[in-house]
Amino acid sequence: MPSRVFEETVLPHLDAAFNYARWLTRDDAEAEDVVQDACVRAMRFFSSLREGDARAWLFTIVRNTWYSRVSRRAATLPLDPMVDEPADAALDPEAQLLQQHAVGRVREALERLPVDFREVLVLREIEGMSYKEIAAVVRVPIGTVMSRLARARDRLAAVLKPSALPMERMP
């Protein structure tokens, strides 16, 4: 019975937990390891989940698992630029190329952000978590979440701003 409750409560959030871990670790294999370790911890400490949000609870465990791994190792692996998500097959080749370029630029810009900023941006914009949920996961006040989000968005926009290339005058 307890394992069934765990499966119903926690397992629906595994894909989102993996996505979050991938943004933290910048590596698919490392993210899988983090989520696996987090699931073991979640199962072991399942009784500590009160009537709160299981998703935020699991994300907190994923985050803590990653930080404990980083503190043991002192460095994370970069995301492999050769591995890219497949483009939408419904687009024509030119549109696919433009989409791949845009996705690559955003991914690079996100990776340039400090972890504190990248983390809240991914949780809010990609995972769709509320400020309250993010504050619970990251363990900071909601005001800090809002501040980090604003600064992360500003930095992301600055990096993604089209560079001002000098235009040659046509005669």
Side-chain angles (χ1 to χ4, degrees), residues 101-123:
H101 177 71
V103 168
R105 284 191 67 219
V106 171
R107 180 176 282 144
E108 281 181 26
L110 276 170
E111 288 179 8
R112 284 185 185 175
L113 294 177
V115 173
D116 293 351
F117 293 170
R118 184 175 64 239
E119 180 176 44
V120 294
L121 199 59
V122 166
L123 289 174

Side-chain angles (χ1 to χ4, degrees), residues 63 120 131-132 134-146 148:
R63 181 178 192 265
V120 294
Y131 292 168
K132 183 178 178 180
I134 296 168
V137 170
V138 181
R139 294 185 177 164
V140 297
I142 290 177
T144 303
V145 170
M146 294 167 62
R148 286 182 185 175

